[in-house]
Amino acid sequence: TYSITREAIALGYLPRLTVRHTSNTKIGRIYVPTANLILGAAVLIVTGAYAKSANLANAYGLSVTMTMMVTSLLVTVVGVLWCVRNARWLLAAPLVALMMAVLTLDTLLLISCANKFLDGAWFPFAVAMALFLAMSTWAKGTRLLRDAVRAELPPLAPFLAWLTSEPIQRSPRAAVYAVTDLDSVPPALVLNLRHHKSIHEAVIICKVTVTETPEAAEGQRIKVSEAAKGYWRVEAFYGFKEDPDIPAIIAKLVAEHGLPIDPKSVSYFLFRALAVPRPGSTLVSVHGMSIIRKWLFAAMHHNAGTAAHFLRVPHSETMELGAEVLI
């Protein structure tokens, strides 16, 4: 459960939660307090609601049957995609035939359990639908929020050209701005410049990209380019089983790419958007989200963990700037 939760967070299907590593030598040994709390509460609720273990048989039977069917469907999809990508056309037909036979058996088992739906078997179905609603709302809401923020920002290249041509006061430190889009100006940079009327001597705009593989190749960990004099764009790649670490990336940039900064003299700037449902949102939405899902996303986003913890930046050297964003 903990590993699945962590991977869902990395892939953008759940908000950031606290993940604690219980081993200094083995990767993957983790503990997620929030997931543990939810599981504990669910166990107590189910135990109190069903009272006897015999009453759980209906719910257990349907949940196992649905798990078998979903697993068979996923195996079929993955197998067919593998055959297509590797041009193993002769294996595709036998694989589909085999999985159709398995799916037929799973369907018969599901039909046999359907008459127990109202006798308690509805519970695992309701839990699955609630999880799907939460995960899909978070994924779609995150995209809407990112697009709304990006729409308010100017492109990076002309903005940096303007900065380098203006006599703006420079601070004698390096600044790292964590972003989700390398082609737009970091919102924290805009707010910082607006309030302090100055900018750091060295500015690193860093994006962390989580790949769909467990681990990113070490030789392809970093992509760096100089966007303008004193400004660098950096993209760091991490697998969904890895923990992003921006200070480690900065140290790697200095050691391997020769960036003229002192890793011990770096300020980190993060942007935190306060998601607010746009006035006029309706209960039904075709392209966006309904008002109910927007409020659900806003609540999830408000209670999500901080980016500072997720990116492992030192809190004493980090400044978080925020603004309301309509979605």
Side-chain angles (χ1 to χ4, degrees), residues 105-130:
L105 294 177
D106 291 339
T107 303
L108 293 175
L109 288 174
L110 183 63
I111 293 174
S112 67
C113 296
N115 61 340
K116 300 178 182 179
F117 185 82
L118 298 178
D119 295 329
W122 58 269
F123 181 75
F125 182 80
V127 171
M129 292 303 297

Side-chain angles (χ1 to χ4, degrees), residues 78-95:
V78 172
V80 171
L81 289 177
W82 182 87
C83 291
V84 171
R85 290 179 179 177
N86 294 275
R88 302 293 181 89
W89 309 108
L90 295 179
L91 292 177
L95 174 64

Side-chain angles (χ1 to χ4, degrees), residues 166-297:
E166 291 291 322
I168 299 175
Q169 182 179 353
R170 308 300 291 263
S171 303
R173 281 176 69 92
V176 175
Y177 291 89
V179 299
T180 58
D181 180 19
L182 287 173
D183 295 322
S184 300
V185 179
L189 175 58
V190 174
L191 294 173
N192 190 26
L193 185 61
R194 179 187 304 167
H195 290 287
H196 298 105
K197 309 299 181 183
S198 65
I199 200 166
H200 293 76
E201 288 183 345
V203 175
I204 299 172
I205 302 171
C206 183
K207 176 185 177 181
V208 172
T209 298
V210 178
T211 66
E212 295 185 356
T213 57
E215 297 179 1
E218 196 60 37
Q220 302 175 354
R221 176 75 66 186
I222 300 175
K223 288 184 179 179
V224 56
S225 62
E226 189 171 9
K229 185 177 181 180
Y231 299 87
W232 292 269
R233 294 196 306 179
V234 176
E235 186 171 10
F237 296 90
Y238 286 90
F240 60 76
K241 283 191 174 182
E242 298 179 300
D243 293 318
D245 191 336
I246 286 188
I249 292 297
I250 300 304
K252 199 177 185 69
L253 288 171
V254 174
E256 298 182 4
H257 297 271
L259 263 67
I261 62 174
D262 181 5
K264 297 180 180 179
S265 183
V266 176
S267 298
Y268 299 90
F269 291 88
L270 307 175
F271 176 73
R272 185 177 181 89
L274 178 60
V276 178
R278 187 180 298 275
S281 300
T282 59
L283 289 176
V284 179
S285 179
V286 178
H287 301 292
M289 288 198 304
S290 66
I291 185 64
I292 296 176
R293 293 183 69 192
K294 286 183 178 180
W295 279 113
L296 174 61
F297 172 75

